[in-house]
Amino acid sequence: MAGRAWKFMDDIDTDAIIPGRYLVMNDPRELAAHLFEGVRLEMASAVKESDYVVAGENFGCGSSREHAPLALKGAGISAVVAKSFARIFFRNAINIGLPLFICPDVDRIEDGDQIEIDMKGGVIKNLTRKESYNTTTLPDFLREIVDVGGLVEYTRRQVSGAKA
């Protein structure tokens, strides 16, 4: 499904994604109402299901708060595409079922472009510019975690013997 690209630069930290004063909340929809509040005030009210966050290097750096990917998922963000991710943010995102993709060509995607991602095939289509970019694919076991909605559900299925 195609969605709008919300473009960010390098070193977007977790406090920019969801300011620390909202860490008393745990509901993804409540957190989403404050998404990027100090950076892009209009985003929380304008983001739509199936939109994407596109960023440069080191996305999700800073504090290891789980609230940052939770706010993105609560807002309906389909995936985050960046040149690189902070290690703990990457793991927290996978744990809640938010897919992440590494793409060296994110500089070719502009804010507002309509994009879609073939998550299994590793291709980002920029429908606005009529271009395609290769991206990493998640390893099968991480894709299974994302596909079922996160690590809790994945583990529940593993323990019960259900196929992921």
Side-chain angles (χ1 to χ4, degrees):
M1 182 180 296
R4 181 191 197 278
W6 292 86
K7 184 76 179 268
F8 295 89
M9 301 314 291
D10 295 341
D11 302 313
I12 297 299
D13 66 25
T14 54
D15 198 51
I17 299 167
I18 188 72
R21 65 183 166 274
Y22 300 113
L23 298 185
V24 295
M25 300 175 181
N26 289 310
D27 180 86
R29 291 285 181 189
E30 288 180 24
L31 289 166
H34 304 285
L35 186 67
F36 290 106
E37 190 170 275
V39 181
R40 293 189 72 174
L41 190 55
E42 81 284 1
M43 185 172 175
S45 62
V47 70
K48 293 181 174 45
E49 294 278 334
S50 80
D51 283 355
Y52 298 90
V53 168
V54 178
E57 300 278 355
N58 202 27
F59 186 84
C61 60
S63 173
S64 63
R65 62 184 64 148
E66 298 87 357
H67 295 74
L70 204 56
L72 290 163
K73 189 171 181 182
I77 295 296
S78 293
V80 180
V81 181
K83 285 185 180 180
S84 67
F85 293 93
R87 180 183 57 83
I88 294 174
F89 178 87
F90 186 91
R91 194 63 211 165
N92 285 337
I94 296 300
N95 285 348
I96 63 148
L98 178 66
L100 305 176
F101 297 93
I102 297 170
C103 178
D105 295 319
V106 294
D107 294 335
R108 296 170 62 185
I109 302 171
E110 296 294 327
D111 190 60
D113 284 357
Q114 290 292 306
I115 64 171
E116 64 183 14
I117 301 175
D118 175 355
M119 294 190 189
K120 289 183 182 177
V123 176
I124 299 170
K125 291 181 183 175
N126 187 327
L127 305 175
T128 303
R129 301 186 186 293
K130 297 177 179 36
E131 296 177 343
S132 294
Y133 323 111
N134 291 325
T135 184
T136 58
T137 56
L138 291 173
D140 289 342
F141 77 99
L142 291 182
R143 196 173 65 246
E144 285 179 36
I145 293 170
V146 168
D147 287 347
V148 298
L151 189 58
V152 170
E153 182 58 26
Y154 177 81
T155 303
R156 185 176 290 123
R157 291 179 185 208
Q158 292 294 311
V159 169
S160 72
K163 190 90 171 143

